[in-house]
Amino acid sequence: MLLRFINAFWVGGLICVVGQILIDKTKLTPARILTSYVVAGVFLGAIGIYQPLLDFAGAGASVPLLGFGNVIAQGVKSSVNLHGWIGVFTGALTSAAAGITAALVFSFLASLTTKSADKS
C-alpha cells in the first residue's frame, strides 16, 4: 500500500517537473503546454501505453492533464465500439462529464466565496 502512494507521488511529480521545465526552458505558453499534455494523454491512451502507467501509479497518473486526455481517448474508443462512428462525437463528453462538471461546480463555488483583485 505504501509503495502505491510512493509511485503515485514520484510519477505525478515527474509529470509536473516536465511541465515546469517546459515553462522555464522554452518559449511555450502555459496554455500550449497544458493543451499538449491533454493531446499526449489522448495519444498515449489511444495506442494503449497509458493504461500500464495508470496501473502502476494510480492517481499520480490519472489526476494530471495526461489522465484527462486518457479518459477522453478511452471514452471515444468504447463509444465507437458501442454506437459506431457517432461515438467519435459523443464518447469524449460522456466519459469526461463528471470531471468537467466538477470543475465547473467548484469554479462557481470559488467565485462565490472569493473576490477577484488586481495583481498590481
Side-chain angles (χ1 to χ4, degrees):
M1 183 71 159
L2 179 62
L3 187 59
R4 184 126 170 121
F5 290 126
I6 292 169
N7 288 340
F9 179 78
W10 76 262
V11 170
L14 186 62
I15 291 170
C16 293
V17 164
V18 170
Q20 189 64 49
I21 289 170
L22 289 172
I23 289 171
D24 292 343
K25 301 293 182 185
T26 68
K27 293 184 186 236
L28 291 172
T29 63
R32 288 179 189 245
I33 294 169
L34 295 175
T35 304
S36 299
Y37 267 32
V38 173
V39 171
V42 169
F43 178 74
L44 294 173
I47 62 174
I49 293 176
Y50 207 74
Q51 189 59 46
L53 182 63
L54 278 174
D55 295 340
F56 176 74
S62 66
V63 173
L65 284 171
L66 288 169
F68 180 68
N70 179 56
V71 166
I72 290 172
Q74 298 309 316
V76 169
K77 272 182 168 176
S78 65
S79 190
V80 166
N81 290 337
L82 194 61
H83 302 292
W85 67 270
I86 196 74
V88 171
F89 303 106
T90 61
L93 291 176
T94 304
S95 65
I100 294 169
T101 302
L104 289 172
V105 168
F106 290 125
S107 298
F108 178 70
L109 291 175
S111 73
L112 293 177
T113 60
T114 60
K115 183 177 179 185
S116 61
D118 215 4
K119 295 217 180 214
S120 56

